[in-house]
Amino acid sequence: DQQVKQNSPSLSVQEGRISILNCDYTNSMFDYFLWYKKYPAEGPTFLISISSIKDKNEDGRFTVFLNKSAKHLSLHIVPSQPGDSAVYFCAANRQEGEKLTFGTGTRLTIIP
Amino acid sequence: DTGVSQDPRHKITKRGQNVTFRCDPISEHNRLYWYRQTLGQGPEFLTYFQNEAQLEKSRLLSDRFSAERPKGSFSTLEIQRTEQGDSAMYLCASSLRGDIQYFGAGTRLSVL
């Protein structure tokens, strides 16, 4: 039972354009959502998070949007840079500090 | 801040052997998590500790798996009688009182 879903295994975007990564979830008990970035041979690195009481959180080039009624969140990266090429994981938990449930990841490739 | 450290980075073993992995969390982080990641999947939760107490175990953690955090600092994950299906990346993360989980680079286990 995949409670967090990332339906796009891969995405290619031109450098300088906007990258939009999507994530859907099924568990209505999830209250806290995170995005992690992973380079090969490294562990996941925290990128940005959002609590269910908000619908948007911004940090520099990264913005996460949450639509609770649709059980959908998205990560926007603008402008996209070559160093953004990595696998991006969406994750969720019922409260901060609890175990994370991850999606299967989206491989983002930024084309110079 | 040296980050989460995992040892070894790679382990090759024969089926039926026992293996043990070590995780050193970020100093003063009281929560420590273990996850497992297989190819094409996101990390899956195994277990977590608050200080030395093991608070939750996934049903993925069969009785061949045992984790300890004896003094509330480093943790070990032991797999007895390894099987080929145990081949995966084992990831450790730590957090401070329910804050963001920070991951180590992982231990890649190959069971031949």
Side-chain angles (χ1 to χ4, degrees):
Chain A
D1 175 26
Q2 196 73 24
Q3 296 185 62
V4 178
K5 301 177 186 180
Q6 294 177 258
N7 291 320
S8 298
S10 62
L11 176 68
S12 294
V13 175
Q14 292 258 228
E15 182 179 357
R17 299 285 186 107
I18 183 170
S19 295
I20 300 176
L21 295 94
N22 293 303
C23 177
D24 296 292
Y25 63 96
T26 58
N27 189 338
S28 56
M29 300 293 288
F30 286 146
D31 218 29
Y32 196 62
F33 304 88
L34 305 89
W35 285 93
Y36 282 84
K37 179 168 79 170
K38 188 179 184 303
Y39 293 120
E42 294 184 13
T45 302
F46 169 73
L47 205 53
I48 192 168
S49 63
I50 189 167
S51 158
S52 62
I53 62 173
K54 295 186 175 181
D55 55 16
K56 177 182 173 181
N57 189 25
E58 208 168 339
D59 183 3
R61 296 185 298 116
F62 303 92
T63 303
V64 56
F65 295 92
L66 175 62
N67 182 335
K68 277 198 76 176
S69 60
K71 293 192 178 69
H72 176 84
L73 63 155
S74 60
L75 174 68
H76 293 210
I77 306 173
V78 55
S80 300
Q81 299 174 353
D84 296 331
S85 294
V87 177
Y88 289 77
F89 291 99
C90 172
N93 58 12
R94 294 182 306 175
Q95 62 183 55
E96 290 180 79
E98 277 201 356
K99 65 185 179 188
L100 290 170
T101 301
F102 283 84
T104 52
T106 296
R107 180 176 300 280
L108 175 63
T109 302
I110 304 303
I111 304 163
Chain B
D1 178 359
T2 57
V4 178
S5 176
Q6 292 189 245
D7 184 66
R9 292 293 307 275
H10 299 96
K11 178 71 178 178
I12 300 173
T13 191
K14 292 183 179 177
R15 191 176 50 183
Q17 298 293 305
N18 299 344
V19 294
T20 300
F21 311 139
R22 177 180 170 124
C23 171
D24 287 89
I26 294 171
S27 178
E28 296 180 1
H29 277 195
N30 62 336
R31 291 198 177 190
L32 187 148
Y33 310 78
W34 285 99
Y35 293 83
R36 181 173 72 182
Q37 185 179 14
T38 53
L39 202 61
Q41 300 297 314
E44 293 176 289
F45 170 76
L46 292 178
T47 188
Y48 89 96
F49 295 83
Q50 178 159 297
N51 300 313
E52 64 274 10
Q54 190 171 19
L55 294 189
E56 187 175 351
K57 293 199 302 186
S58 161
R59 61 178 183 274
L60 288 176
L61 217 65
S62 75
D63 53 10
R64 296 185 297 106
F65 288 70
S66 63
E68 293 183 343
R69 193 182 184 198
K71 295 181 181 178
S73 57
F74 74 91
S75 174
T76 57
L77 178 68
E78 181 184 18
I79 309 174
Q80 296 184 326
R81 305 181 304 281
T82 52
E83 301 173 356
Q84 288 186 324
D86 297 331
S87 296
M89 175 74 83
Y90 290 84
L91 293 162
C92 176
S94 70
S95 74
L96 181 63
R97 290 187 212 95
D99 201 351
I100 302 301
Q101 294 180 33
Y102 294 92
F103 283 81
T107 294
R108 180 168 296 284
L109 173 66
S110 298
V111 181
L112 304 178

